[in-house]
Amino acid sequence: QVQLQESGPGLVKPSQTLSLTCTVSGGSISSGSYWSWIRQPAGKGLEWIGRIYSSGATNYSPSLKSRVTISVDTSKNQFSLQLTSVTAADTAVYYCAREAYGGYHYWGQGTLVTVSS
Amino acid sequence: SYELTQPPSVSVSPGQTASITCSGDKLGNKYACWYQQKPGQSPVLVIYQNTKRPSGIPERFSGSNSGNTATLTISGTQAVDEADFYCQAWDSTTAVFGGGTKLTVL
């Protein structure tokens, strides 16, 4: 059973860079799947941020593309998110997830990131 | 950009059938997925590739997709099914989520 766990700072200052890591257990990140980041502001819907294939190929949300980088570290079985120039609008629960057959079958528990000075 | 539209809320009586719709341009030409999310929990995939149920999802959950509308149907709705539901599809290499529907079982 694949498990995903997000980690990273829960508080980021405005204009700084948000950095999160997702650690995958119970399976190899090199298995040929897509690995994604998805976020959800409090009381609102899900927003797709982007994804990375095990080879390192990436796709990003057009609305966030200029600020997002997703990378993978196969030696640590992890993938990471960096979001630059954050504002209060980036405050959300951030989820990492594994995609298969077009859907997200596995999700992390989510981590709350608050942007505030 | 591609958009998926869901009704904000749907109400159903216990034991009855609930239908939640998701509309998008030529959505029937794409695969649709559905997620259930209960308060404080991560989303759970209940339908993928329009009609398939992941292991462990009850048979009362079913899906369809044609024309511009995908539909999640819950037959014999139970109180435990009360949750937010989100549809999702792919616009080329970008995932798109609907705005979500709150299902109330009363």
Side-chain angles (χ1 to χ4, degrees), chain A residues 39 47-50 60-69 82-84 90 94:
Chain A
R39 70 181 182 180
E47 179 182 19
W48 188 77
I49 299 171
Y60 298 130
S61 166
S63 64
L64 296 171
K65 186 174 184 177
S66 64
R67 298 194 293 131
V68 173
T69 301
Q82 286 198 316
L83 182 65
T84 62
D90 296 309
Y94 285 75

Side-chain angles (χ1 to χ4, degrees), chain A residues 40 51 95 99 102 104 108, chain B residues 33 35 37 42 45 86 88 90:
Chain A
Q40 184 173 36
R51 67 178 182 177
Y95 295 100
E99 176 199 330
Y104 290 100
Chain B
C33 301
Y35 301 88
Q37 186 180 34
S42 302
L45 181 69
Y86 296 91
Q88 177 245 313
W90 288 90

Side-chain angles (χ1 to χ4, degrees), chain A residues 36 38 40 44-48 51 59-62 95 99-105 107-110, chain B residues 1 31 33 35 37 40-45 48-49 54 86 88 90 92-99:
Chain A
S36 296
I38 297 159
Q40 184 173 36
K44 297 188 178 181
L46 300 168
E47 179 182 19
W48 188 77
R51 67 178 182 177
N59 301 113
Y60 298 130
S61 166
Y95 295 100
E99 176 199 330
Y101 305 107
Y104 290 100
H105 293 247
W107 295 69
Q109 66 184 28
Chain B
S1 62
Y31 278 135
C33 301
Y35 301 88
Q37 186 180 34
Q41 298 183 16
S42 302
V44 173
L45 181 69
Y48 68 102
Q49 289 186 343
Y86 296 91
Q88 177 245 313
W90 288 90
S92 184
T93 56
T94 300
V96 179
F97 286 95

Side-chain angles (χ1 to χ4, degrees), chain A residues 74-97:
Chain A
T74 54
S75 67
K76 294 182 179 179
N77 228 31
Q78 296 175 334
F79 64 106
S80 298
L81 168 69
Q82 286 198 316
L83 182 65
T84 62
S85 304
V86 297
T87 69
D90 296 309
T91 294
V93 174
Y94 285 75
Y95 295 100
C96 58

